[in-house]
Amino acid sequence: MPYRIVRPSDVAPLPATDGLSPADAVSELIAFGGTPVIAFDLGGVLLRGGVLTSGSEAAAFNKLEQQFGLPAGPTSRMWHELLRPSEIGEISESTVWTMLASQVPGVDPSSVREAMLEMASPIDEGIGALKDIHDAGWRTALATNHLDSWVKEWKARFDWFDYIDVVVVSSKIGLRKPDLGYYENLKSQLEVESPWFVDDRSENLVAARKSGLRVVWVDTSGRWFVNPDLEGPTAEEGGRKLPDSKAT
């Protein structure tokens, strides 16, 4: 179904909502109208667990260290030191695993990689929302800070990737959220100026809004806040800014 490009000034703003289920939030967006194009973050929105979400990172690395007999701490520290450059393509994934093998003798990098991939599990409610809005004729995108090779692995494992029309991965474009250039690239690939954008990190949403995107914030319980008040009273937790007391 062809989609209609609508500028922000063409429609009245959609009022901010209290926390909704993903299905109810999607119903609000579909009823609202505007440009029927939406981009989804991956970790915390469509996938959870392992090293994808900050709330599970520590437990994930502890499990890896126990499973593979790794010394406590180095795997996590090295991952974080290499994460940013690998996520924007400055170093290759093979370099990451070569460095791990050199620092932790006896480890099988391919086994550690596979264990990390398998820790991620679909968020059923988020997947349902993706399917519903795609079936309603919206154009959909995945917008993630990650390695393109990992995203391709998950695409091969999860059939719900069929509901995603465009994939924008930081390691491919050399930019990561919340860099404003990331959102300009996303808009260029989607060929619209004001798509909706769903993410679980407020710093990404603030930057997206500055770039003209309309935003939906996902809290740690899975509630979706359409047009959240990102500038109002906030509470800091694990790098996330929670919009007002409704998100506590």
Side-chain angles (χ1 to χ4, degrees):
M1 175 169 117
Y3 60 91
R4 181 172 59 99
I5 296 178
V6 181
R7 303 295 178 185
S9 58
D10 294 336
V11 292
L14 178 60
T17 65
D18 291 339
L20 300 172
S21 71
D24 287 343
V26 161
S27 295
E28 290 274 342
L29 296 180
I30 293 172
F32 169 63
T35 304
V37 182
I38 188 168
F40 293 79
D41 178 35
L42 184 61
V45 178
L46 299 175
L47 285 178
R48 67 160 60 91
V51 297
L52 277 170
T53 47
S54 61
S56 61
E57 249 184 25
F61 280 112
N62 183 57
K63 180 178 179 179
L64 289 168
E65 288 161 356
Q66 292 181 357
Q67 181 177 349
F68 294 98
L70 304 175
T75 309
S76 174
R77 286 196 300 273
M78 194 197 73
W79 177 264
H80 286 97
E81 288 170 3
L82 299 177
L83 180 62
R84 188 174 295 269
S86 64
E87 281 189 346
I88 57 174
E90 289 184 348
I91 63 173
S92 66
E93 184 186 2
S94 61
T95 299
V96 174
W97 298 115
T98 297
M99 293 182 70
L100 173 64
S102 68
Q103 293 187 24
V104 188
V107 69
D108 176 12
S110 63
S111 297
V112 177
R113 180 182 188 272
E114 180 60 25
M116 285 182 167
L117 284 164
E118 288 188 349
M119 284 179 178
S121 60
I123 300 174
D124 292 338
E125 295 82 0
I127 303 302
L130 167 66
K131 180 181 184 301
D132 287 348
I133 207 159
H134 183 270
D135 288 350
W138 284 47
R139 194 173 187 212
T140 58
L142 180 68
T144 180
N145 290 340
H146 222 297
L147 304 176
D148 184 53
S149 54
W150 284 44
V151 174
K152 287 178 177 176
E153 291 265 7
W154 284 315
K155 183 176 181 180
R157 300 178 189 207
F158 300 124
D159 57 8
W160 48 263
F161 267 83
D162 292 342
Y163 303 123
I164 297 171
D165 300 313
V166 175
V167 176
V168 181
V169 185
S170 60
S171 68
K172 259 192 118 172
I173 66 173
L175 297 162
R176 70 193 302 280
K177 301 173 290 183
D179 189 313
L180 295 181
Y182 183 100
Y183 304 101
E184 294 305 312
N185 186 288
L186 175 64
K187 291 192 296 182
S188 176
Q189 292 200 46
L190 291 174
E191 300 181 320
V192 293
E193 286 298 316
S194 57
W196 285 95
F197 174 61
V198 186
D199 203 294
D200 64 328
R201 300 191 70 89
S202 70
E203 63 268 28
N204 294 341
L205 297 173
V206 168
R209 185 173 279 171
K210 286 179 181 177
S211 294
L213 282 68
R214 299 171 180 177
V215 302
V216 179
W217 180 73
V218 181
D219 75 2
T220 53
S221 72
R223 291 176 297 176
W224 286 28
F225 293 78
V226 178
N227 274 340
D229 178 12
L230 298 171
E231 309 301 330
T234 61
E236 200 82 20
E237 180 183 351
R240 293 174 171 78
K241 290 183 179 178
L242 311 183
D244 67 48
S245 61
K246 293 191 291 292
T248 56

